[in-house]
Amino acid sequence: MFKLLVLSCLLALALPSLAEVGWWKTGQFYQIYPRSFKDSDGDGVGDLIGITQQLPYLKEIGITATWLSPIFTSPMADFGYDVADLKGIDPIFGTMEDFEALLARAKELDIKIILDFVPNHTSDECDWFIRSAAGEEEYKDFYVWHTGKVVNGIRQPPTNWLSVFRGSMWTWNEQRQAYYLHQFHAKQPDLNYRNPKVVEAMKDVLRFWLRKGAYGFRIDAVPHVYEIPADADGNWPDEPRNEDVSDPEDYTYLQHIYTTDQPETLELVYAFRDVIEEIDAELGGDDRVLLTEAYSPLDVLMQYYGNGTHLGSQIPFNFELLAKISYSSDAYHYSELIHNWLDNMPEGQVANWVFGNHDQSRIGSRLGADRIDACNMIVMGLPGVSVTYQGEEMGMTDVWISWEDTVDPQACQSNEQEFERLTRDPVRTPFQWSDEVNAGFSNASVTWLPVASNYKLVNVKKERGIALSHLNVYKQLRALRDEPTLKQGDVSVTAIGPNVLAFKRSLTGYKSYITLININDDVESIDLDSVFTSISTQLQYVVVNDKSVRRKNDLTFANSVLLLPKEAVVLSTV
Ligand code: GLC
Ligand code: MG
């Protein structure tokens, strides 16, 4: 008894306490796309009551915090990323009471709720825009307006800038007799952050939701928030062309040097973080967090964390793997991308790992269904925050949707030839709960997007019962994250030839864990003694995927680990 006590005291001394570590620093984050998670009222669209009902599932898979794509009042031109009332809940998702009930249930289960904050734009149906278009003094400069230029007697937009969703970034407004800027859809007018009133109004929105009980925000489309300042005459420069793109309406036709990643963007992230700190001080409790969405160059992303004087986003999404790994990437490429983040991250910051979201093709479709467990091992085995997009834990794949049935504005604004490259509908289909009607997502006769045809094979209920299903592998990986080595240990990442990615987590006084992933279809024999230092002669299998003939607790010699095609395993020292 005494010995045990001494031992636990020693352990307590050796490890910083969890409060010190910060709840989010080893957190398991999960993205819910509310329209497609669970429909409680049978209208074919997911809702807040549905999420609340299914929160125990998040607990089952060990989620610490979940970020919800927008649930705010919206005409749904971009499925909620066009917000009309920044402090209201859209009726399709429920009521404010439903949201409060969700918060209360999440609190009981110790799951943090993170909201999606869309700073770049509002809906054109937002009261601010309506007043701005009407020229009301208080709101007239809330958006970016310009009367355009007249060439040969014809009025034209002020610049050649293109919207992410195709065509000009400028749309004419009859009432105001001016063009307004929209980096995305014409129904998503950009707010004017050069107006301090806008900054204050948006900070106020953050405070509102934090005081209600949200634990932070995923901030949308951050690099688009500022455009280059206008010159003394109030004009902006055109953007240069990308010579290899020939479609003049496509976003990639131009290099977005004046409309993305402007230096003021970082200042704004720091200002939003100040609000987080302010509310932490006001309300107490654990740290509230910012997750920022930016597909920006690495040196810019590293500044999102903060600079010498300002704190920034704790979790600037790391899209290295998501955006750059392709079907044919070799192990060197995986290793390089992982190192890109680890080696460039400022001292004292925490890494995060992301392989999917509601805008990108799913892992199983992009990289192959036999690499799903491998990707989950990477996201959950590396140090820091892991982020899972709903469905990736059970290996949902993209659902092909015809041009006629396509609803994503990014695709609908293109044409029948181009839409498959642009559409995000395939990754947003209903969550597959069971083999019941509509995969247990809804009892409506029609769901807003079709349910995947493979739902009888790929669903939570079925996978619970299969020992090495993606879901069960995921749960085992999640359980491992509670080990001190995974929480606080060092990491060493390397490629062993072109086919095998390996990383080792180690912490003095604890077992080391080695993840080995055979990316391809050759049988590989690995001598780990020549790769990592300080490993035991024998190693034990801790997690295996269904490509393995090994079982949990099997032993192998470290100098001859055999890896079958696409086998992915976690081993521990003994
Ligand atoms: C972000 C969102 C995307 C949305 C866009 C405009 O990239 O992830 O879904 O369409 O911003 O708000
Ligand atoms: Mg519903």
Side-chain angles (χ1 to χ4, degrees), residues 31 33 67 69 78 80-82 116 118 120-121 164-165 184-185 188 218 220-222 224 293 295 357-359 408-410 424 428:
Q31 178 188 357
Y33 192 72
W67 73 269
S69 279
D78 189 18
Y81 284 95
D82 48 321
D116 206 325
V118 187
N120 182 65
H121 44 263
V164 178
F165 292 166
F184 294 86
H185 199 278
Q188 293 167 300
R218 173 265 188 188
D220 181 73
V222 191
H224 299 273
E293 187 215 19
Y295 295 83
N357 63 36
H358 66 296
D359 293 329
D408 177 13
Q410 177 162 276
R424 299 167 297 177
R428 298 176 175 180

Short mmCIF file of all heavy atoms in Angstrom, two decimals, residues 31 33 67 69 78 80-82 116 118 120-121 164-165 184-185 188 218 220-222 224 293 295 357-359 408-410 424 428, ligand 1:
data_model
loop_
_atom_site.label_atom_id
_atom_site.label_comp_id
_atom_site.label_asym_id
_atom_site.label_seq_id
_atom_site.Cartn_x
_atom_site.Cartn_y
_atom_site.Cartn_z
N GLN A 31 -15.59 16.92 -36.10
CA GLN A 31 -16.45 17.87 -36.82
C GLN A 31 -17.80 17.25 -37.12
O GLN A 31 -17.88 16.21 -37.79
CB GLN A 31 -15.81 18.31 -38.13
CG GLN A 31 -16.74 19.26 -38.90
CD GLN A 31 -16.28 19.59 -40.31
OE1 GLN A 31 -15.22 19.16 -40.74
NE2 GLN A 31 -17.10 20.36 -41.03
N TYR A 33 -21.22 17.88 -39.19
CA TYR A 33 -21.89 18.65 -40.23
C TYR A 33 -23.39 18.49 -39.93
O TYR A 33 -23.99 17.46 -40.27
CB TYR A 33 -21.51 18.10 -41.62
CG TYR A 33 -21.92 19.02 -42.74
CD1 TYR A 33 -21.25 20.22 -42.96
CD2 TYR A 33 -22.98 18.71 -43.57
CE1 TYR A 33 -21.63 21.08 -43.97
CE2 TYR A 33 -23.37 19.56 -44.59
CZ TYR A 33 -22.68 20.74 -44.78
OH TYR A 33 -23.07 21.60 -45.79
N TRP A 67 -16.78 20.42 -33.15
CA TRP A 67 -17.13 21.69 -33.80
C TRP A 67 -18.23 21.44 -34.80
O TRP A 67 -18.19 20.47 -35.55
CB TRP A 67 -15.92 22.41 -34.36
CG TRP A 67 -15.24 21.91 -35.60
CD1 TRP A 67 -14.20 21.04 -35.65
CD2 TRP A 67 -15.48 22.31 -36.97
NE1 TRP A 67 -13.79 20.85 -36.95
CE2 TRP A 67 -14.56 21.62 -37.78
CE3 TRP A 67 -16.40 23.18 -37.58
CZ2 TRP A 67 -14.52 21.76 -39.17
CZ3 TRP A 67 -16.35 23.33 -38.95
CH2 TRP A 67 -15.42 22.63 -39.73
N SER A 69 -20.47 22.69 -37.93
CA SER A 69 -20.61 23.61 -39.05
C SER A 69 -21.83 24.48 -38.76
O SER A 69 -22.65 24.14 -37.91
CB SER A 69 -20.75 22.83 -40.35
OG SER A 69 -19.47 22.41 -40.80
N ASP A 78 -25.25 28.71 -49.13
CA ASP A 78 -24.02 27.91 -48.98
C ASP A 78 -24.18 27.03 -47.73
O ASP A 78 -23.26 26.86 -46.96
CB ASP A 78 -22.79 28.83 -48.88
CG ASP A 78 -21.47 28.05 -48.96
OD1 ASP A 78 -21.49 26.89 -49.42
OD2 ASP A 78 -20.43 28.62 -48.55
N GLY A 80 -25.53 27.33 -44.82
CA GLY A 80 -25.27 27.86 -43.49
C GLY A 80 -24.04 28.75 -43.42
O GLY A 80 -23.89 29.50 -42.46
N TYR A 81 -23.17 28.67 -44.42
CA TYR A 81 -22.01 29.57 -44.44
C TYR A 81 -22.41 30.95 -44.97
O TYR A 81 -21.56 31.78 -45.26
CB TYR A 81 -20.85 28.96 -45.23
CG TYR A 81 -20.17 27.87 -44.40
CD1 TYR A 81 -20.51 26.54 -44.54
CD2 TYR A 81 -19.22 28.21 -43.43
CE1 TYR A 81 -19.92 25.56 -43.75
CE2 TYR A 81 -18.62 27.24 -42.65
CZ TYR A 81 -18.97 25.91 -42.80
OH TYR A 81 -18.39 24.95 -42.03
N ASP A 82 -23.71 31.16 -45.11
CA ASP A 82 -24.27 32.47 -45.46
C ASP A 82 -25.22 32.81 -44.31
O ASP A 82 -26.38 32.42 -44.31
CB ASP A 82 -24.99 32.40 -46.81
CG ASP A 82 -25.96 31.21 -46.93
OD1 ASP A 82 -25.64 30.10 -46.46
OD2 ASP A 82 -27.07 31.41 -47.50
N ASP A 116 -19.01 27.31 -35.40
CA ASP A 116 -18.35 27.80 -36.60
C ASP A 116 -18.64 29.29 -36.71
O ASP A 116 -19.79 29.71 -36.69
CB ASP A 116 -18.93 27.05 -37.81
CG ASP A 116 -17.96 26.98 -38.98
OD1 ASP A 116 -17.21 27.95 -39.17
OD2 ASP A 116 -17.99 25.97 -39.70
N VAL A 118 -18.18 32.68 -38.96
CA VAL A 118 -17.91 33.03 -40.36
C VAL A 118 -17.66 34.53 -40.46
O VAL A 118 -18.59 35.32 -40.65
CB VAL A 118 -19.12 32.62 -41.25
CG1 VAL A 118 -18.80 32.82 -42.73
CG2 VAL A 118 -19.53 31.18 -40.98
N ASN A 120 -15.80 36.35 -42.66
CA ASN A 120 -15.56 37.01 -43.94
C ASN A 120 -16.80 37.67 -44.53
O ASN A 120 -16.72 38.72 -45.14
CB ASN A 120 -15.00 36.01 -44.95
CG ASN A 120 -14.69 36.67 -46.28
OD1 ASN A 120 -13.81 37.54 -46.36
ND2 ASN A 120 -15.43 36.32 -47.32
N HIS A 121 -17.94 37.02 -44.33
CA HIS A 121 -19.15 37.50 -45.01
C HIS A 121 -20.38 37.19 -44.18
O HIS A 121 -20.32 36.40 -43.24
CB HIS A 121 -19.28 36.83 -46.38
CG HIS A 121 -18.99 35.35 -46.34
ND1 HIS A 121 -17.75 34.83 -46.66
CD2 HIS A 121 -19.74 34.29 -45.97
CE1 HIS A 121 -17.78 33.51 -46.52
NE2 HIS A 121 -18.97 33.15 -46.09
N VAL A 164 -14.44 32.66 -55.35
CA VAL A 164 -14.08 31.25 -55.16
C VAL A 164 -15.12 30.34 -55.84
O VAL A 164 -14.79 29.28 -56.34
CB VAL A 164 -14.00 30.90 -53.65
CG1 VAL A 164 -13.67 29.44 -53.43
CG2 VAL A 164 -13.00 31.79 -52.93
N PHE A 165 -16.36 30.83 -55.87
CA PHE A 165 -17.44 30.05 -56.48
C PHE A 165 -17.69 30.45 -57.94
O PHE A 165 -18.79 30.34 -58.42
CB PHE A 165 -18.74 30.20 -55.67
CG PHE A 165 -18.69 29.56 -54.30
CD1 PHE A 165 -19.67 29.86 -53.36
CD2 PHE A 165 -17.70 28.66 -53.94
CE1 PHE A 165 -19.67 29.27 -52.10
CE2 PHE A 165 -17.67 28.07 -52.67
CZ PHE A 165 -18.66 28.38 -51.75
N PHE A 184 -16.99 34.76 -52.04
CA PHE A 184 -17.66 33.49 -52.34
C PHE A 184 -18.91 33.78 -53.17
O PHE A 184 -18.83 34.51 -54.14
CB PHE A 184 -17.94 32.72 -51.03
CG PHE A 184 -16.65 32.29 -50.35
CD1 PHE A 184 -15.95 33.14 -49.48
CD2 PHE A 184 -16.09 31.04 -50.62
CE1 PHE A 184 -14.75 32.74 -48.89
CE2 PHE A 184 -14.89 30.64 -50.04
CZ PHE A 184 -14.23 31.49 -49.17
N HIS A 185 -20.04 33.27 -52.77
CA HIS A 185 -21.29 33.40 -53.53
C HIS A 185 -21.81 34.84 -53.50
O HIS A 185 -21.55 35.57 -52.53
CB HIS A 185 -22.31 32.45 -52.88
CG HIS A 185 -23.47 32.09 -53.73
ND1 HIS A 185 -24.56 32.92 -53.86
CD2 HIS A 185 -23.73 31.00 -54.48
CE1 HIS A 185 -25.45 32.33 -54.66
NE2 HIS A 185 -24.97 31.18 -55.05
N GLN A 188 -23.23 35.97 -50.45
CA GLN A 188 -22.33 36.06 -49.29
C GLN A 188 -21.45 37.32 -49.38
O GLN A 188 -20.25 37.23 -49.60
CB GLN A 188 -21.43 34.81 -49.23
CG GLN A 188 -22.19 33.52 -48.91
CD GLN A 188 -21.36 32.27 -49.16
OE1 GLN A 188 -20.92 32.03 -50.28
NE2 GLN A 188 -21.14 31.48 -48.14
N ARG A 218 -14.46 27.51 -34.53
CA ARG A 218 -13.70 27.20 -35.72
C ARG A 218 -13.94 28.43 -36.60
O ARG A 218 -15.11 28.81 -36.83
CB ARG A 218 -14.24 25.92 -36.35
CG ARG A 218 -13.64 25.56 -37.71
CD ARG A 218 -14.50 26.08 -38.85
NE ARG A 218 -14.04 25.57 -40.14
CZ ARG A 218 -14.52 25.99 -41.31
NH1 ARG A 218 -15.49 26.89 -41.35
NH2 ARG A 218 -14.07 25.51 -42.43
N ASP A 220 -13.97 30.42 -39.99
CA ASP A 220 -14.11 30.07 -41.40
C ASP A 220 -13.32 30.99 -42.33
O ASP A 220 -13.30 32.21 -42.14
CB ASP A 220 -15.61 30.18 -41.74
CG ASP A 220 -15.94 29.81 -43.16
OD1 ASP A 220 -15.90 28.62 -43.46
OD2 ASP A 220 -16.23 30.72 -43.95
N ALA A 221 -12.69 30.40 -43.33
CA ALA A 221 -12.16 31.13 -44.49
C ALA A 221 -11.33 32.37 -44.11
O ALA A 221 -11.44 33.42 -44.76
CB ALA A 221 -13.31 31.52 -45.41
N VAL A 222 -10.50 32.24 -43.10
CA VAL A 222 -9.78 33.40 -42.57
C VAL A 222 -8.93 34.15 -43.62
O VAL A 222 -8.94 35.39 -43.64
CB VAL A 222 -8.89 33.01 -41.36
CG1 VAL A 222 -8.38 34.25 -40.66
CG2 VAL A 222 -9.64 32.12 -40.40
N HIS A 224 -9.42 35.04 -46.44
CA HIS A 224 -10.20 35.88 -47.35
C HIS A 224 -10.73 37.16 -46.71
O HIS A 224 -11.38 37.95 -47.38
CB HIS A 224 -11.40 35.07 -47.87
CG HIS A 224 -11.00 33.83 -48.63
ND1 HIS A 224 -10.74 33.84 -49.97
CD2 HIS A 224 -10.79 32.56 -48.22
CE1 HIS A 224 -10.40 32.62 -50.37
NE2 HIS A 224 -10.42 31.82 -49.32
N GLU A 293 -9.40 28.11 -40.02
CA GLU A 293 -9.36 27.45 -41.32
C GLU A 293 -8.60 28.32 -42.31
O GLU A 293 -9.07 29.38 -42.71
CB GLU A 293 -10.78 27.22 -41.88
CG GLU A 293 -10.75 26.40 -43.14
CD GLU A 293 -11.80 26.77 -44.19
OE1 GLU A 293 -12.34 27.88 -44.15
OE2 GLU A 293 -12.04 25.94 -45.08
N TYR A 295 -5.98 27.61 -45.82
CA TYR A 295 -5.09 26.83 -46.69
C TYR A 295 -4.00 27.79 -47.16
O TYR A 295 -3.97 28.18 -48.31
CB TYR A 295 -5.87 26.26 -47.88
CG TYR A 295 -6.94 25.25 -47.49
CD1 TYR A 295 -8.21 25.67 -47.07
CD2 TYR A 295 -6.69 23.90 -47.55
CE1 TYR A 295 -9.19 24.75 -46.72
CE2 TYR A 295 -7.68 22.96 -47.19
CZ TYR A 295 -8.91 23.40 -46.79
OH TYR A 295 -9.88 22.49 -46.44
N ASN A 357 -12.54 17.06 -43.99
CA ASN A 357 -13.57 18.00 -43.56
C ASN A 357 -14.68 18.02 -44.61
O ASN A 357 -14.64 17.24 -45.58
CB ASN A 357 -12.99 19.40 -43.26
CG ASN A 357 -12.38 20.07 -44.47
OD1 ASN A 357 -12.87 19.93 -45.61
ND2 ASN A 357 -11.30 20.81 -44.26
N HIS A 358 -15.65 18.90 -44.41
CA HIS A 358 -16.84 18.90 -45.26
C HIS A 358 -16.60 19.50 -46.64
O HIS A 358 -17.53 19.65 -47.43
CB HIS A 358 -17.95 19.68 -44.55
CG HIS A 358 -17.59 21.14 -44.40
ND1 HIS A 358 -16.51 21.57 -43.65
CD2 HIS A 358 -18.12 22.25 -44.96
CE1 HIS A 358 -16.41 22.88 -43.74
NE2 HIS A 358 -17.38 23.32 -44.53
N ASP A 359 -15.37 19.93 -46.90
CA ASP A 359 -15.05 20.52 -48.20
C ASP A 359 -14.20 19.61 -49.08
O ASP A 359 -13.97 19.93 -50.25
CB ASP A 359 -14.27 21.84 -48.01
CG ASP A 359 -15.11 22.93 -47.36
OD1 ASP A 359 -16.33 22.96 -47.56
OD2 ASP A 359 -14.51 23.76 -46.63
N ASP A 408 -24.59 21.74 -54.05
CA ASP A 408 -23.50 22.60 -53.57
C ASP A 408 -23.30 23.78 -54.52
O ASP A 408 -23.06 23.59 -55.71
CB ASP A 408 -22.20 21.76 -53.50
CG ASP A 408 -21.00 22.61 -53.09
OD1 ASP A 408 -21.20 23.76 -52.63
OD2 ASP A 408 -19.87 22.12 -53.24
N PRO A 409 -23.37 25.02 -53.99
CA PRO A 409 -23.25 26.19 -54.88
C PRO A 409 -21.92 26.23 -55.64
O PRO A 409 -21.88 26.70 -56.78
CB PRO A 409 -23.36 27.39 -53.92
CG PRO A 409 -23.07 26.84 -52.56
CD PRO A 409 -23.55 25.42 -52.59
N GLN A 410 -20.88 25.71 -55.03
CA GLN A 410 -19.58 25.72 -55.71
C GLN A 410 -19.65 24.93 -57.03
O GLN A 410 -18.98 25.26 -58.00
CB GLN A 410 -18.51 25.13 -54.79
CG GLN A 410 -17.13 25.02 -55.42
CD GLN A 410 -16.03 24.86 -54.39
OE1 GLN A 410 -15.56 25.84 -53.84
NE2 GLN A 410 -15.62 23.65 -54.13
N ARG A 424 -18.98 19.46 -53.40
CA ARG A 424 -18.65 18.96 -52.07
C ARG A 424 -19.80 18.13 -51.50
O ARG A 424 -19.70 17.62 -50.39
CB ARG A 424 -18.32 20.16 -51.16
CG ARG A 424 -17.11 20.96 -51.67
CD ARG A 424 -16.98 22.30 -50.97
NE ARG A 424 -18.13 23.15 -51.25
CZ ARG A 424 -18.31 24.37 -50.72
NH1 ARG A 424 -17.39 24.87 -49.90
NH2 ARG A 424 -19.37 25.09 -51.01
N ARG A 428 -20.77 15.11 -47.91
CA ARG A 428 -21.71 15.68 -46.94
C ARG A 428 -22.97 14.84 -46.78
O ARG A 428 -23.97 15.30 -46.23
CB ARG A 428 -22.10 17.10 -47.38
CG ARG A 428 -20.91 18.04 -47.44
CD ARG A 428 -21.29 19.41 -47.98
NE ARG A 428 -20.16 20.33 -47.91
CZ ARG A 428 -20.20 21.59 -48.31
NH1 ARG A 428 -21.32 22.09 -48.80
NH2 ARG A 428 -19.14 22.36 -48.21
C1 GLC B 1 -15.05 27.69 -45.87
C2 GLC B 1 -16.03 26.57 -45.59
C3 GLC B 1 -16.80 26.27 -46.84
C4 GLC B 1 -17.56 27.51 -47.25
C5 GLC B 1 -16.62 28.71 -47.38
C6 GLC B 1 -17.38 30.00 -47.46
O1 GLC B 1 -14.08 27.31 -46.75
O2 GLC B 1 -15.36 25.46 -45.09
O3 GLC B 1 -17.66 25.19 -46.67
O4 GLC B 1 -18.23 27.30 -48.45
O5 GLC B 1 -15.74 28.82 -46.31
O6 GLC B 1 -17.92 30.34 -46.21
#
